[in-house]
Structure formats: C-alpha cells, structure tokens
Amino acid sequence: MKRERGRPLAATNDAIFEAALELFSEHGFEATTMPMVAERVGIGRSTLFRRFPNTSAIMWYARAELTQEYASNLTAQPDGVDPVDGAFAAYRAIWTVRPELIESGRRMMRVIEGSGPESGIKWQAYSAWAELTHAFVLERTGLPEHNTTARAGAMAIWAAIWAGAVEFALSESDSIDEHLARARSAIEIRFAR
C-alpha cells in the first residue's frame, strides 16, 4: 500500500476556524499568524494555506454562511414592511433561527471590536453587510442606486444594527432582542424620493 505524502488532513475547516478564533481572542486578530493557527490545529502550514490563503479568510469562513442568511432574510421580508424594520427583522432572525451560532458570533464580534481602528477586519465585516442593507433599501424604496438618501439611510440602519450586535456580544445577556430594540429606537429614517 502506497503511503500518502505529508500529514493527514486531521482538521476540518470548522476546527481550523475554532482554533483561529481562540488565537484571535488570545492574541488579537492582527497578531495571529497562519503558522500559529497551523500549530494550534496540528496540521502543516502548507495544508492550512491550501485551505485558507490568510487569517482574514479563516475569520470569514463562518461569516459567509451568515452573510447569505442575512441576504435571504432580507429578501423574505414581506412587501410593504418598513426598510428599517425589515433589516432589523432579517438580522434578528439569524440569531433566533440559529441559536447554536450565538456563542461563536459573540466571540467573532469581540475579536472584530477588539481590533484597532486601523484593522481592515472591522471594515470588512461592516461593509459587506452594509452593502446588503443598501441593496435592500434600494429594492424596497425604488430609489436610484446613487441616491444619497438611500445610501445614508442604509448606512444608518446597518450602523444601528451593528451597535446592537456589539452591545449584545459584550454583554452577558441571553437574547439579542433587547439590544436590537434599543438600537432600533435610536434611529428614525424617512426615505424621500
């Protein structure tokens, strides 16, 4: 029987993500290196690099599914729903339908918020979901793509959702609902044509 070269694949992508998240929490996102992740997981560096090109890709591995869920939840909002309420409901639904993700989601938010202002990780997280929110606002209001009201409104919506999510991540609360409700009550947006 011919022996395969290199180390066997001993870790799933989920295990790599969990190990990296531990390291991000311990050392910070910017200070965590791919060799540190490979060592923690117990796989070779080349194996890790074949799966993920960098630590950002590991961080967004789990987030990609959540991003798709948020997009689907936005699309599923009933016709006529206020765009602000619809975006909040779409985000809340992720945590209501997928409670098993709450702890890892909190850990991710803590890592993101703990990274410095110069870190690109915070803006990667923020911008992808802000763009989904913007597309939802455009679709629901009928405003043109480059309309300032639509862009500013979408950014305000996402900023409020983000603030509620961060408050939840940093709290000991069991439910995100009160945090999102507080964030929702902080904004009032009128989409004028």
Side-chain angles (χ1 to χ4, degrees):
M1 178 181 241
K2 187 175 178 180
R3 181 173 148 350
E4 294 292 322
R5 293 179 54 161
R7 295 183 195 183
L9 293 178
T12 64
N13 286 349
D14 287 342
I16 292 169
F17 170 74
E18 285 300 321
L21 197 52
E22 287 173 12
L23 288 166
F24 298 150
S25 297
E26 292 168 16
H27 303 283
F29 177 78
E30 300 295 331
T32 300
T33 65
M34 292 293 278
M36 290 167 69
V37 175
E39 183 177 332
R40 176 70 59 100
V41 176
I43 60 176
R45 286 189 249 179
S46 60
T47 300
L48 180 61
F49 277 105
R50 276 195 298 277
R51 294 196 189 172
F52 298 99
N54 53 45
T55 54
S56 280
I58 297 172
M59 180 67 149
W60 300 124
Y61 161 73
R63 189 85 173 179
E65 184 179 346
L66 295 178
T67 302
Q68 183 54 49
E69 275 192 55
Y70 180 60
S72 295
N73 292 347
L74 288 170
T75 302
Q77 292 303 303
D79 289 338
V81 72
D82 176 75
V84 181
D85 293 331
F88 271 86
Y91 189 82
R92 183 181 301 105
I94 293 170
W95 306 112
T96 304
V97 174
R98 304 279 304 273
E100 73 277 9
L101 299 175
I102 290 174
E103 193 50 43
S104 66
R106 281 182 129 145
R107 289 169 50 211
M108 283 178 71
M109 289 296 289
R110 288 174 183 150
V111 167
I112 292 166
E113 281 301 304
S115 64
E118 69 286 347
S119 173
I121 198 76
K122 186 178 291 189
W123 304 117
Q124 280 181 314
Y126 195 87
S127 68
W129 291 44
E131 286 303 316
L132 290 172
T133 305
H134 182 233
F136 174 70
V137 166
L138 292 175
E139 187 248 318
R140 293 305 172 102
T141 63
L143 292 169
E145 183 177 355
H146 300 291
N147 180 280
T148 302
T149 301
R151 170 90 45 200
M155 295 303 286
I157 294 166
W158 182 245
I161 292 171
W162 182 269
V166 168
E167 182 182 88
F168 172 65
L170 300 177
S171 77
E172 297 301 321
S173 175
D174 292 332
S175 171
I176 197 169
D177 292 347
E178 67 184 90
H179 306 282
L180 289 178
R182 203 170 12 261
R184 172 60 183 100
S185 70
I187 62 171
E188 183 63 41
I189 300 171
R190 291 187 193 93
F191 292 103
R193 289 183 180 252

